[in-house]
Amino acid sequence: IGAAYGFDSIEAVRNGAKVVAIDKEASHIEALKATLSPEIQNNLQALALTFPDGVNLEPSHYDGILLSRILLF
C-alpha cells in the first residue's frame, strides 16, 4: 500500500513473488504496469485505491503487507 511507481513491487515480482500493489494515483499504477515484462505481469495485481477507505484486504490471505509512507499524509 503506497506503491507509487512500484520500486519494491517490481523487485518482488522479478524475484518470483505474487504482489498486490496499491496506490491512490492511477498514473503511478499505470507506470508500474508498463515497467514489467509481459511474462511476469501475471504476478502483479496493481490497483488505484485510496487507503484506508478504498482498500478492503482479505483476512489471512497475505504473507506480508508493506505500508510505504502513507501514514504520514
Side-chain angles (χ1 to χ4, degrees), residues 14-37:
R14 286 182 177 154
N15 285 289
K18 292 187 178 182
V19 174
V20 177
I22 299 172
D23 196 85
K24 68 178 185 173
E25 297 293 334
S27 61
H28 293 174
I29 294 299
E30 291 306 314
L32 167 55
K33 289 179 186 177
T35 302
L36 294 175
S37 61

Side-chain angles (χ1 to χ4, degrees), residues 1-71:
I1 300 173
Y5 294 104
F7 299 111
D8 294 325
S9 300
I10 291 166
E11 286 305 310
V13 169
R14 286 182 177 154
N15 285 289
K18 292 187 178 182
V19 174
V20 177
I22 299 172
D23 196 85
K24 68 178 185 173
E25 297 293 334
S27 61
H28 293 174
I29 294 299
E30 291 306 314
L32 167 55
K33 289 179 186 177
T35 302
L36 294 175
S37 61
E39 58 271 3
I40 61 173
Q41 283 184 2
N42 290 336
N43 288 342
L44 175 72
Q45 180 182 9
L47 306 168
L49 302 171
T50 56
F51 181 82
D53 298 327
V55 177
N56 185 12
L57 300 175
E58 189 176 329
S60 302
H61 183 77
Y62 303 94
D63 291 331
I65 298 173
L66 173 63
L67 299 171
S68 182
R69 302 180 63 110
I70 62 160
L71 299 177

